[in-house]
């Protein structure tokens, strides 16, 4: 149950922050790669669709990108 809530919370926040910056998934992936984070658009989509949860190093890099 907790995992489902975490995935939902991450998905909602990730979509909100990405769209607030006017970024597509592909544009966000490119910006994250500039920060030395290797992530695919498919992986990002799976986080936004609540299918998977990122590893901590990925989550940390995303949070640093969005300054959260």
């Amino acid at each position: 149950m907790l995992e489902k809530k975490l995935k939902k919370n991450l998905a909602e926040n990730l979509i909100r922050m990405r769209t607030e910056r006017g970024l597509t998934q592909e544009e966000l992936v490119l910006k994250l790669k500039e920060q030395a984070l290797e992530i695919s658009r498919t992986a990002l989509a799976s986080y936004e669709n609540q299918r998977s949860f990122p590893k901590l190093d990925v989550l940390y890099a995303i949070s640093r990108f969005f300054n959260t």
Side-chain angles (χ1 to χ4, degrees):
M1 187 67 109
L2 178 61
E3 182 179 346
K4 192 174 184 177
K5 286 183 181 182
L6 287 172
K7 285 180 182 178
K8 182 178 185 223
N9 190 33
L10 173 70
E12 290 172 352
N13 286 319
L14 191 53
I15 292 167
R16 179 183 49 79
M17 290 184 296
R18 179 177 57 76
T19 56
E20 282 176 355
R21 291 194 181 199
L23 298 172
T24 65
Q25 288 179 341
E26 190 63 37
E27 290 168 334
L28 177 55
V29 165
L30 291 174
K31 293 208 177 273
L32 291 172
K33 286 183 179 185
E34 290 173 3
Q35 311 250 330
L37 175 65
E38 285 301 318
I39 184 173
S40 68
R41 196 211 50 84
T42 306
L44 180 63
S46 71
Y47 306 150
E48 290 188 359
N49 292 318
Q50 303 176 37
R51 288 191 306 262
S52 66
F53 198 81
K55 293 181 179 179
L56 285 178
D57 60 329
V58 174
L59 186 60
Y60 179 71
I62 291 171
S63 69
R64 290 201 56 190
F65 176 79
F66 287 112
N67 296 316
T68 60

